[in-house]
Amino acid sequence: MKFNIVNEIKLSYSRKGNCEKLITSSVDAVDIFREHFDAEEMDYRESFFALYLNQANKAR
């Protein structure tokens, strides 16, 4: 039996004005993620997001 396996990886990098937003709580981080998260894909697509901060706790 042959199986055709297709792996899909989508990488994206965005700096939509958040690079100066100070992150002081988890609520601040959630607000940034929600700006970039597509709620329509939530039910059928697994996603992984990372938020990078500089030493001043600003989104990078």
Side-chain angles (χ1 to χ4, degrees), residues 17-59:
N18 290 326
C19 60
E20 294 300 319
K21 184 166 182 173
L22 182 64
I23 307 299
T24 58
S25 68
S26 60
V27 174
D28 294 336
V30 167
D31 290 341
I32 289 178
F33 281 121
R34 286 192 175 150
E35 289 178 21
H36 300 283
F37 184 73
D38 186 0
E40 298 291 323
E41 293 183 0
M42 182 177 170
D43 292 335
Y44 65 93
R45 188 172 288 183
E46 183 177 333
S47 299
F48 174 83
F49 293 91
L51 179 63
Y52 295 98
L53 304 176
N54 64 13
Q55 290 180 340
N57 285 341
K58 293 184 179 180

Side-chain angles (χ1 to χ4, degrees), residues 4-22:
N4 292 327
I5 298 175
V6 177
N7 293 320
E8 179 182 329
I9 297 175
K10 176 183 175 186
L11 299 176
S12 62
Y13 178 74
S14 177
R15 294 185 98 178
K16 295 182 180 178
N18 290 326
C19 60
E20 294 300 319
K21 184 166 182 173
L22 182 64

